[in-house]
Amino acid sequence: MKHLIAGNWKMNGDQALAKSLVAGLAVKAGTKPKADIVLCPPAPLLQAVAAAASGSALALGAQDCHADEKGAHTGDVSAWLLKDIGCSFVIVGHSERRADHGESDALVKAKAAAALKAGLTPIICVGETDAERNRGETTRVIARQLTGSIPDLGSALSLVVAYEPVWAIGTGRTATTADIAAVHGQIREVFAAVGGTARSAQVETLRILYGGSVKGSNAASILATHGVNGALVGGASLDLEDFWRIIEACP
Ligand code: 13P
């Protein structure tokens, strides 16, 4: 199983970046890159990124979706439309959406289920805040978020989980590899437990990404950590050379 490196541009980038960065990445990646690569630009740039990535192995992902297929939801985008315009992934439950938009585990679960139904691979994010970590609640928070956010249907191969400690996002701080290995191990256990026997048999094929200040300079040790199957990269995904270093650092 190849590692998966996902670039989450968040609310950054414009048409010029979509063209230049993605064209450069497409040349480097060609058709057989070392890792599976997915780019998640802001929704208005999805088609520009798709055009610039055309003919390469770069996949397209969105940063969020609505749980419904269509309807009166001004400003929202459905998983079905994302699939229609060429996406294969969608991030759901990012901590910035949980914090900025009050998204609950139940809503994240509904969005992940919609993504699966539309034929997308949801990247379901979980992670504790600094305060929760300092109170020793990491394990409890991860278990609660995961149990509440993982859809009932969907095999281990049809979805991805991302562990992003909130305190590590955009701060330059990263969790230790020992902590990452422990949380990823826990995520695998919880995933197996919530899905019954079918999921527990497939649990080794579940891809679990680490996210939070991953850069070219620290990627190798993180990506070689037991139980880590890739990275969800924010800031560094906007820099062609740094993002490429992360991809090249995959074991
Ligand atoms: P940074 O890599 O900028 O810390 O962001 C991580 C993240 O939130 C990716 O989804």
Side-chain angles (χ1 to χ4, degrees):
M1 189 167 57
K2 270 189 185 178
H3 272 38
L4 173 65
I5 305 296
N8 175 10
W9 291 15
K10 309 193 178 183
M11 201 173 72
N12 297 297
D14 53 18
Q15 296 201 69
L17 187 84
K19 277 199 194 115
S20 61
L21 188 146
V22 180
L25 203 55
V27 170
K28 283 180 185 288
T31 51
K32 284 203 177 119
K34 204 167 172 187
D36 291 332
I37 306 166
V38 54
L39 303 178
C40 306
L45 294 179
L46 283 167
Q47 287 182 298
V49 168
S54 164
S56 76
L58 303 174
L60 193 64
Q63 297 176 12
D64 180 47
C65 66
H66 196 276
D68 289 353
E69 184 171 355
K70 60 183 173 182
H73 302 294
T74 303
D76 280 311
V77 178
S78 81
W80 284 264
L81 177 58
L82 295 172
K83 177 73 180 174
D84 186 49
I85 65 159
C87 289
S88 35
F89 291 82
V90 61
I91 298 168
V92 293
H94 192 282
S95 60
E96 287 149 16
R97 292 208 62 87
R98 291 179 187 262
D100 297 353
H101 300 271
E103 294 195 1
S104 65
D105 291 331
L107 181 62
V108 174
K109 178 175 175 171
K111 289 182 175 200
L116 285 171
K117 222 168 148 189
L120 298 174
T121 301
I123 300 174
I124 303 164
C125 302
V126 296
E128 81 286 2
T129 64
D130 211 13
E132 288 163 341
R133 176 172 180 254
N134 292 335
R135 290 197 299 266
E137 294 174 2
T138 300
T139 305
R140 199 165 62 78
V141 169
I142 299 297
R144 190 200 68 223
Q145 289 181 336
L146 207 56
T147 312
S149 309
I150 294 271
D152 301 326
L153 299 176
S155 68
L157 280 171
S158 66
L159 46 85
V160 173
V161 173
Y163 170 50
E164 295 205 309
V166 178
W167 51 270
I169 294 176
T171 59
R173 294 164 66 199
T174 51
T176 64
T177 51
D179 284 347
I180 296 171
V183 175
H184 282 220
Q186 185 206 348
I187 289 171
R188 232 173 271 283
E189 273 172 29
V190 174
F191 180 82
V194 292
T197 47
R199 277 192 183 157
S200 64
Q202 312 162 334
V203 75
E204 289 310 318
T205 62
L206 173 68
R207 287 213 271 205
I208 307 176
L209 315 183
Y210 171 78
S213 297
V214 177
K215 313 221 171 306
S217 53
N218 60 20
S221 61
I222 292 170
L223 292 168
T225 299
H226 182 70
V228 173
N229 309 107
L232 182 53
V233 184
S237 71
L238 295 159
D239 181 295
L240 175 59
E241 295 306 328
D242 210 22
F243 193 51
W244 187 247
R245 271 182 79 192
I246 296 169
I247 293 157
E248 285 288 284
C250 287

